[in-house]
Structure formats: C-alpha cells, structure tokens
Amino acid sequence: MKSPAYYLRRMTEIGIGGVLSNAFLSLRHKAWAGSQSIWWGMRSRRPPGDPEFLSKTTGKWDSVQSLLRHLANRPGSSFVFPHDAQSASAALFKEKQPEYVANVISTADAICRNEIHLLGQTYRFPQGVDWHTDPVSGFQWPFWHRSRYVSYLYSARRSADLIVYWELNRHHFLITLGIAYWLTNDVKYVNAFGSLTQNWIEKNPLQHGMNWYYPLEVSIRLLAWTAAFQFFRASPAFMERCGSAFIKSLWQQADFLSGHLQIARTKKDTPNNHLIAELSGLFVVASAFPEFASAQAWRETALQFILQQADGQVYPDGMHREQAIGYHRFVLELMLLVLMRCKRDALPQERDLAPRLEKMLEYLLFSVTPAGTVPTWGDTDYGKALGLGLEKDFWDVRPLLSTGAALFNRADMKYVAQNLDPETLWLLGPDASNQWDALRARAPESASGRFPHGGMYIIRDSWSPDTDVAYFRCGPFGLGGAGYCAHAHCDLLSLVLWINGQPLLVDSGTYMYSGEWRGHFRLTHSHNTVMVDGVHQGDPKRFFGWTRVSNAECDRWDENSVSGRMTPVNGVELRRRIFHPQPGVWELTDSAKCGERGAHRLEWFFHLAPGLEVVVGEHVCSIVKDSRQIGTISIPDGGVRFEKRSAWFSYDYGVKLPNAQIYAVWEGELTETDADFQWRFDFTAGATDTGAINAKSA
C-alpha cells in the first residue's frame, strides 16, 4: 500500500485528473483480474471430461482410449523425431554413441529418484517435486490466477529468481526418461514419467500458478511433452496410468498458447525470442497432433508468423538482433525443429527458412573459440529447445554445427564440429550417420569473418587449436532501440581475445536475471571497452530493456585489422582500432576527440580470464598463469593511470567467479584533434618470462 505522501507527490506531477485517471485504470484492471480469477477458478476445478475433450478433436474416436491407441499406432516420425523403429534406434545409439547412452541411463535413473539436474546443479526432492517452489531459495510462489502476477512479478515481495524455477517446469528431463525407455524398455521410466506428469497436472490447473504466466514457458513445456510422448505413447503402462490426463492437459496447454501469443498481447511489445518460442511450440504440437480440431489453424498461423519473425529478428548476415548469443542459439534450435518438420512434410516454407538458418549456423561457425565454445555476449537464461544434450556445456555450439554439417552438407561445419553429436542423430534421423560419414571434413576457406549487419568482426590466424582470435562487437545496441533491447549489454567496441589457443580477455557474462547483481553484469564496466565521463552506453531499466542506447559502426575491416566508432557521448567521438601484426601480438588504439574543447574522463576495463593474474609494472602489466609470465600488456603513455582490480566473471547461471581486471583512467582536455591511446598485447616468446613468478606478488 502506497503512502499518502506518494499520492500528494503524484498529484503535483500529473494533476488531480491524472491521479483519478490512473486510479480508474488500476481499479478496472483489478476488477478484470478478479473476474478472470473467479471464472477460471471455477473452470480449473473441473478438468475436461471425455466428451468435452473429444469434441475438440476431429471427431473420429468414441473414447479417449481409442484416440490414444490411434496415436500409438502412428509412425514415430510423424511426431518430433524422424525415428520409427524403437529397436533400430536403440541399436544405432548403442553402436554410435555408447557414452551418450550410458549418460542418458544414469541421468534417467537419478530422475527416478527425484534427483533433477538443472543449469549445472543437481536438486533433490525427497518428498516429491514441488512445482510452485523455487529449488534454489525455497521461495514458494503464491497460487493465484495468472492475471494477478502482473504487478507481483517484479515487485519487492518477490524474493527469488525465476530462471531455475522455470527450468524445472520446462520438463526437459521428461525427454530423458523417454529416451531411456526407448533404449532399455524398462517400465520404471514409464512409471516415473507418469508420476511426474500426473502430479504436475493435478497441482497446475488451467491458468493457475506461475507456470501459466508466460506463454513462452508453456510452449517450451509443450515441446518437451510432445517429444516425450513419442517415446511413451505405445506403452500400456502409460496409457493405463496417465494417458488420458496427459493428452487432455497437452491439448489445454496448446489451446491456451494459441490464444496468448505475443502478437496478441500488446502493440507496445517488440517481438523477440519469446514469440519465436511460442510459435515454434504451437507449430510442433499442431504438426504432431493433427487430430486436434484446431491443429490446422494453429499450424498455419504459427508458420506464417515464424517466417515473418525469421526476417524481422534475424539479420541477413545470420545474427539474431537481440545481440545476445545465448538467445541466438535458443532461436536457432527452435527454428531447426520447424525446418525439419517442413522438410518431412514437404512444405514450401522450407525454401524460405533453410537459407536463414544456414546463415545463423555460419555465425556460430566463425564465433567458435579454440575450445569449441562461443563468447558469452549479452544476456542468457541458458534456455534450450529440447535439451537433448543433457548437461553439456551450454556455450559449446559444436552439437549445432554437427547438425548443420549433416543438414546442409557443410564440410567446414563438420571440420569444426569434429564429431557426430547424438543431438544430430535425434533431429535428423538414422540417415544422418551415413550423411556424416560421406562428408569429407574441410577447414573453412577463410579464418576470419565479418557480420556487418549485426556488427561482429572476427580476426583469426587459422583453425588450429593454438590460434589467436579476436571478437569485436561493433554494431547496433540491441533489438528495438531505446525503450527495448531487453537482452543487450553495454558491450559496444568490446574485445574478446584468445591468444595461443587460450582465453585472455573475456566477456563477463550474465550471472542472474534479478537482484543487485543484475545491473552490474550488464553495464559498461563489465566489458572490455571504454567509458566516457562515467556515462554508460545505455541507461538500464530495472531488469530488462534500456531507456537510452548507443550504437557503433565499423569503418574498416580486413583479415588482420578492424576499426569502428561509437555514438558520441558528451560530444566526445570515440574510435577503436585493432591491428594484428603477427601471431601473439595485438595492438589496440583508442582515439578520442571533441568538437568543443573541454575536460573529459576516459576509463578502460580489461577483464582477464579466470586463472590469470596481473603483476603491475611501470607502464606494463605482466600476465601470469600458474606462476609463470605468459605475456605483457603495455599501457598508453600520456598520463594514463592504471591498476589491477578484482572483478567477476559468470559462465554458468547463478555462479560468479573472481577474476582480475586491468583498470585505467585518463583525465584531460580533448580537442577536435584525435588523442590516441595505444595498447599492445605481446604474448610472443620474447615477452614470456621462462622463470617462475611469485604468485602472491600478483
């Protein structure tokens, strides 16, 4: 409840008419939410009976059990994965992917014990899973109609982060149980699946609880349910135990999703990965269950808007416009599911989707580090479409490149992927193994790459594991411009750098989507860039979005140099140039000028990879690893002060690690003539001290 002082202050700001208007709108919303809560409260207490549910199908079945028997007899490839014969698929995976098979069975056995692995951590539920409690903090979400969460979600009353909670309710672990059942025929996996899904259905009635709030979450859960159903549908134990409740709930969730797509909610939204996720889930469900009466309409609507969003959210060079590589991966995985279905059904839309997705894969191809991962640009919630890879490193994109190699006959993607991934076998079917074997791996023709629409420039010596590679972020701030850009960070003109196959400068990552640390990882000081006069590259909203944003533009690029400039701040024009004269050496020049002479302040931030230490010398920093100097970073002359600081790096959600930061500052007068600040990174043999360095001095 707000205090009287608040209303008096607002009255002086917007007048009594404005206060009354806002009060009326607030009361109207509360009345609407209350009526929705009452109506859906009555509906949710009575799950649909068989006649009501069957009336929502194409009308060919006299009972739910007859519908389930029909679904059990359909070819497996008519659902999500192009696999028809259970025994043949099991034999294929046991022959080609024995380690994966062992991992699946071990993970599924743990799930049977209510031990579920989520975002790098294992959570145990000895009393059964509580679908309304955050596994990390123990915070219990109030059980309301979904309309009541609008003002609650980001208020002070909420004391828990949502990501792990929602990851639990996305139900990717149900697919793991399904795969384990296909591999072993062990009914214990059917029983675990039945217990978990039936309990979820009972505890999450229609439109009640946080698991109905975001249509995105409903969609990802539907993908998991549809994929798992393919594995369990023919099991007598499944049909008897929970088949009827499962198929009814799946229909309810799909029907809900169809009426709550992002396109239908508000004109103020900027469609982003949420909409593509919602549309992809609806398309997959509609394609897998044409027996639902609305399936054809769902499928046509979803496919129409997916094609629109592929154009609207993905640049022609393949970069996703949100400027967050984790969401680039998420969107790519979702649209690959759509593309594979279009191919199987010979839909003409395949011709429109395939080139765009191949471009998205090319962006990942050139973004790969010597370790097979990608830099942690922008936000991420570590979301995946299906989670078939279990708990593989989220930032390792080689499984996607494996799929790209087999799907698009790309020898260069096979070269970087190195191995046929089990995800590829599931998505493309048994023939993927032969396609992979017939493809002769070949390194990409170019080592470096540029993506001018999205603003990513990559300079690489070669595709060998000990190569140097730099990633330079120089383009649009994010999707939607000022007021939006939900998942962008202040990382313009930022540099991520690997030298001799090892990480040197890293992007700091995301850490969490709530709490006091949320802003820290988004702002300029958490990236390897320059800040002018203490002004960040954007003004952040509380959790997502920015009210003011900068942009950057590249003015020169070749295979060993790149330069770009950023939107002026306080009249200061900033330009960064990167030059790579030889392996092990990188030169960085920052130039600043101002049309109107005046005093200004420049600050630099360089975030070193965890495990590296800094020894500060006179105009030079020695970089130390395992008590040995591996290189030096020379500091600009001209009054630049510098020091070593402690910083934070986050590679996994909710986990932050300490790392070293080199911080530098210059204060002085800028004129219309460039003031140049030159940095040199030297990691050649001549800059390496073969003697040991006392790590404590670092």
Side-chain angles (χ1 to χ4, degrees), residues 316-335:
D317 57 20
M319 283 184 65
H320 189 251
R321 291 175 185 260
E322 290 199 79
Q323 300 293 351
I325 202 164
Y327 286 106
H328 178 104
R329 174 188 180 134
F330 181 52
V331 166
L332 175 58
E333 287 187 359
L334 291 162
M335 291 204 293

Side-chain angles (χ1 to χ4, degrees), residues 29 32 144-155 213:
H29 173 75
W32 173 82
W144 294 336
H145 180 261
R146 62 182 301 273
S147 61
R148 294 183 61 187
Y149 292 106
V150 175
S151 60
Y152 183 87
L153 189 59
Y154 293 110
S155 72
Y213 180 73

Side-chain angles (χ1 to χ4, degrees), residues 370-387:
T373 58
V374 291
T376 57
W377 299 113
D379 271 351
T380 186
D381 65 358
Y382 296 79
K384 294 185 178 181
L386 294 175

Side-chain angles (χ1 to χ4, degrees), residues 625-647:
K625 182 178 182 180
D626 298 330
S627 300
R628 291 186 176 274
Q629 180 175 309
I630 60 172
T632 61
I633 300 177
S634 300
I635 311 298
D637 294 324
V640 174
R641 306 189 307 275
F642 64 100
E643 64 186 33
K644 173 199 167 181
R645 288 184 172 180
S646 296

Side-chain angles (χ1 to χ4, degrees), residues 670-682:
L670 292 176
T671 67
E672 60 184 10
T673 302
D674 277 331
D676 291 339
F677 302 88
Q678 297 178 336
W679 305 77
R680 180 180 171 87
F681 300 77
D682 189 346

Side-chain angles (χ1 to χ4, degrees), residues 218-281:
V218 176
S219 181
I220 301 303
R221 185 165 53 251
L222 278 170
L223 286 173
W225 280 35
T226 304
F229 180 81
Q230 177 173 345
F231 298 119
F232 289 116
R233 72 191 195 285
S235 163
F238 163 73
M239 286 193 190
E240 180 180 346
R241 178 165 188 169
C242 66
S244 177
F246 179 89
I247 198 69
K248 290 176 184 177
S249 180
L250 188 146
W251 175 84
Q252 275 191 329
Q253 293 178 69
D255 184 62
F256 167 85
L257 178 62
S258 71
H260 293 82
L261 298 171
Q262 191 180 38
I263 51 175
R265 292 202 293 275
T266 170
K267 293 181 180 179
K268 294 181 180 179
D269 277 345
T270 294
N272 59 9
N273 69 87
H274 280 228
L275 181 54
I276 288 180
E278 294 164 10
L279 294 168
S280 299

